[in-house]
Amino acid sequence: MKNILIIADGILAKNFLERLFNSKNNALHNYTVITYNEETIPSWDVNFENFVFYNFDPTSLGKLKLHLKTEFEQAMVIMQNEFDIICVCENLRQIYPNLEMDVLDLWGMRRHFKGDNLISIIDARKILSSRFMDFIPDVPVIADNIGMGVGEIMEVQVPHGSSYAYRHVGNIRKKRWKIAMIYRNGSYTIATADALIMPNDTLLIVGEPRILENVFRAIKKEPGQFPNPFGNNIYLELDMKLMSGDEIDLLINDTLELHQKINSKKLFIKLINPTLCQNFSRIKGLRSNKILVDIDYFSTKISIKKSKMNELDIGLVITNNKIFNLYKRNLEELKVPVLKIGKNGFKMLKKGVILGSKTDAESNSSVIMDCCKQLDFSIDFYHFDSKFDNSSKELIEHFESLSKIFNKKVNIINDSINPLLKLRNTDDILQFLSFNNKILDSKFGAIFSKDINRLHYILDDNYQLFIPQHDKL
């Protein structure tokens, strides 16, 4: 058992002693409590064998020496007068040169104890203001007195319409952070992979402080933010040597259409291998506060670097089928969504289509939700997998949840015909796919596969949005 000295005075000290007496762990150590008078001691009788009480003026060095005959491992000084605290600490340091002290500070006293590494200052003003901040809406609640206290432990409430609502914990990509617990209706549960996050849940999250700040903003954001959280801007690179005039024209038309409809801040257009033509004049004429045009007279090949995407805060790259197939490995490394345009114009699109497993649909649901909400598309989900059964409770729960997220019915289509064969002749769909290694496979390697993602090339003539398999959070 450790010997702990407590020097207490005032209403705050009295409240602290009350909590100490009520603590189930107060029998673990021996306590010596010094107060000016008995008013600071809680009114009920305390008969704990490990508590000793003294009433005298602790600012008197002589009185302290007279009563303190024990060696203490720690001292706690909680008093309501700044001068008294300074005197008490100086006296204790004379008596116990190596004693560790915890001092309550209401005035900014750190300067008085500069150089004494054995004194820990508890800044009450900082703690109270931090606690008060917790009550401001949409401000993250951070554990100040646990761990390092720098924001590595945080709690956040999931609002209605959040991209995290109705998602399973295991299908949220997490890098350098974790969901530890879920609080709901006055109870808590450990966050397992199959735990479903509901609106108004409070999540206890842990990880790198900077990452957690981004996670907090992502959870709090309502639908209608895409291309965020990947970035705020759209990027289009044109090669006048590699692309025909019609291809450039279609890319520009679709990009401008999308830029107007989704929540993008700026559009960056880069042009390489420029030649004097009607399209060249049109591209130069697009310059405005929200459309930035870069005409590169020196580069001869398309080069889309991740560092440049980060610098420009790019959240969506737009290209066509020819460029996508030539540079898809480079595009996958960017870890931002890539829209590959089709042949018939973006204005023709009416619905979003999800093909593949439940896991793909759920992990991409936040992006799908944002896109379809902003573009006012209906949603069809096709699954071509004999392992799934529509009567499965988990699958039904998942799609009911997705319907709530989208605030519109998700059409679940399950039949024995490969949906790629049914959709290859349609021209009004935007297909959502996970941008993973399966997309990088060659057609020759994928031709005998039944995996929907590996067979993405069957819908090459359609619009396809490739969503990266890596959270930028």
Side-chain angles (χ1 to χ4, degrees):
M1 298 176 71
K2 293 182 179 180
N3 295 318
I4 298 175
L5 173 64
I6 300 175
I7 299 181
D9 176 49
I11 188 66
L12 188 58
K14 184 174 183 177
N15 187 268
F16 167 73
L17 291 175
E18 287 178 355
R19 296 197 66 173
L20 178 61
F21 295 161
N22 282 322
S23 171
K24 295 179 180 179
N25 299 317
N26 61 18
L28 298 176
H29 306 295
N30 293 318
Y31 297 92
T32 299
V33 181
I34 299 175
T35 63
Y36 278 114
N37 50 62
E38 293 183 353
E39 293 180 0
T40 307
I41 305 297
S43 57
W44 62 78
D45 292 331
V46 179
N47 296 316
F48 302 135
E49 294 181 356
N50 56 320
F51 279 83
V52 177
F53 297 93
Y54 295 105
N55 295 318
F56 64 86
D57 181 1
T59 63
S60 170
L61 177 60
K63 291 180 179 180
L64 279 175
K65 285 183 176 180
L66 180 64
H67 290 89
L68 299 182
K69 303 298 184 181
T70 307
E71 288 295 324
F72 294 97
E73 283 79 17
Q74 182 181 357
M76 306 186 74
V77 182
I78 309 171
M79 305 181 76
Q80 60 184 357
N81 185 283
E82 180 182 8
F83 182 74
D84 286 0
I85 289 180
I86 295 172
C87 291
V88 166
C89 290
E90 289 177 351
N91 292 341
L92 288 176
R93 183 58 70 225
Q94 288 190 50
I95 301 171
Y96 302 107
N98 298 315
L99 178 63
E100 293 185 2
M101 289 183 268
D102 298 300
V103 179
L104 179 68
D105 179 13
L106 292 165
W107 307 274
M109 301 172 57
R110 193 174 297 276
R111 66 188 183 279
H112 294 294
F113 305 109
K114 195 172 183 180
D116 193 334
N117 296 326
L118 294 176
I119 293 182
S120 299
I121 303 296
I122 294 95
D123 192 331
R125 299 170 305 171
K126 182 178 178 181
I127 293 172
L128 286 171
S129 60
S130 174
R131 186 71 184 100
F132 234 62
M133 283 289 294
D134 295 345
F135 292 94
I136 298 177
D138 297 333
V139 172
V141 179
I142 296 169
D144 289 325
N145 304 311
I146 300 176
M148 298 176 64
V150 294
E152 78 279 13
I153 304 172
M154 182 187 295
E155 70 172 40
V156 53
Q157 187 177 47
V158 180
H160 284 276
S162 170
S163 60
Y164 282 68
Y166 303 108
R167 292 179 68 180
H168 289 93
V169 171
N171 281 318
I172 296 174
R173 296 185 292 275
K174 298 171 286 291
K175 184 176 182 181
R176 293 179 288 177
W177 71 280
K178 297 289 183 184
I179 299 174
M181 301 188 76
I182 300 175
Y183 296 87
R184 181 184 302 156
N185 298 329
S187 62
Y188 65 87
T189 181
I190 303 296
T192 58
D194 58 351
L196 186 68
I197 299 172
M198 303 292 290
N200 293 323
D201 282 355
T202 296
L203 307 181
L204 183 68
I205 58 178
V206 296
E208 294 185 16
R210 181 182 60 83
I211 301 297
L212 293 190
E213 290 176 6
N214 293 334
V215 172
F216 178 87
R217 288 193 289 269
I219 292 174
K220 288 295 185 180
K221 280 186 176 178
E222 296 182 356
Q225 302 298 323
F226 183 77
N228 213 293
F230 299 97
N232 289 302
N233 305 315
I234 296 176
Y235 184 84
L236 171 65
E237 187 160 344
L238 301 170
D239 185 345
M240 299 194 81
K241 181 178 179 181
L242 195 60
M243 301 175 182
S244 68
D246 289 341
E247 288 173 335
I248 291 175
D249 217 28
L250 183 58
L251 270 167
I252 293 173
N253 290 341
D254 284 349
T255 302
L256 293 176
E257 179 80 14
L258 192 61
H259 179 52
Q260 290 179 350
K261 288 187 173 183
I262 66 173
N263 190 34
S264 59
K265 307 301 182 187
K266 292 182 179 180
L267 167 60
F268 290 90
I269 300 177
K270 182 177 179 180
L271 180 64
I272 65 172
N273 296 316
T275 57
L276 295 176
C277 61
Q278 186 174 352
N279 274 332
F280 181 71
S281 300
R282 181 191 179 190
I283 293 168
K284 289 199 300 181
L286 292 175
R287 285 192 175 106
S288 67
N289 291 333
K290 292 190 174 183
I291 302 178
L292 291 85
V293 178
D294 174 21
I295 300 177
D296 188 341
Y297 292 94
F298 302 99
S299 299
T300 57
K301 290 185 179 180
I302 288 177
S303 176
I304 306 177
K305 297 182 179 179
K306 187 174 182 178
S307 59
K308 189 66 175 178
M309 296 299 99
N310 292 335
E311 178 187 334
L312 299 178
D313 193 20
I314 301 302
L316 177 64
V317 174
I318 299 179
T319 189
N320 62 10
N321 190 47
K322 181 190 295 183
I323 301 301
F324 181 83
N325 287 319
L326 284 173
Y327 296 98
K328 61 183 177 182
R329 289 191 178 275
N330 176 235
L331 291 169
E332 191 274 335
E333 292 171 358
L334 300 179
K335 300 304 178 186
V336 299
V338 177
L339 175 66
K340 180 183 70 63
I341 71 166
K343 291 187 173 182
N344 298 306
F346 198 84
K347 290 183 179 180
M348 295 284 294
L349 305 187
K350 295 179 181 179
K351 66 175 68 175
V353 170
I354 312 161
L355 308 177
S357 70
K358 179 182 78 72
T359 302
D360 281 341
E362 189 171 3
S363 63
N364 296 332
S365 61
S366 60
V367 177
I368 296 169
M369 173 179 61
D370 258 350
C371 286
C372 291
K373 266 211 174 282
Q374 294 184 70
L375 299 173
D376 195 24
F377 286 175
S378 61
I379 307 142
D380 287 348
F381 179 89
Y382 293 82
H383 69 84
F384 182 60
D385 191 335
S386 58
K387 291 185 291 184
F388 289 106
D389 181 356
N390 259 343
S391 64
S392 162
K393 181 179 179 180
E394 183 180 357
L395 188 60
I396 292 173
E397 177 191 57
H398 173 70
F399 285 114
E400 286 177 348
S401 301
L402 274 182
S403 298
K404 293 175 184 177
I405 290 178
F406 284 89
N407 196 23
K408 60 176 70 176
K409 182 176 175 58
V410 178
N411 301 312
I412 307 169
I413 302 170
N414 177 31
D415 58 37
S416 58
I417 301 175
N418 190 326
L420 290 171
L421 301 177
K422 296 175 65 174
L423 296 171
R424 66 188 307 174
N425 295 320
T426 60
D427 56 12
D428 62 349
I429 63 169
L430 170 61
Q431 181 189 3
F432 294 93
L433 302 102
S434 296
F435 205 166
N436 51 35
N437 289 331
K438 297 175 183 178
I439 303 297
L440 304 180
D441 289 346
S442 65
K443 290 184 181 180
F444 179 78
I447 195 169
F448 300 107
S449 173
K450 291 185 178 181
D451 189 290
I452 295 293
N453 283 343
R454 295 188 71 189
L455 296 171
H456 70 93
Y457 64 88
I458 294 177
L459 297 182
D460 267 354
D461 289 344
N462 295 91
Y463 286 74
Q464 296 174 315
L465 182 64
F466 297 89
I467 304 169
Q469 297 300 284
H470 166 81
D471 267 345
K472 198 177 179 178
L473 298 176

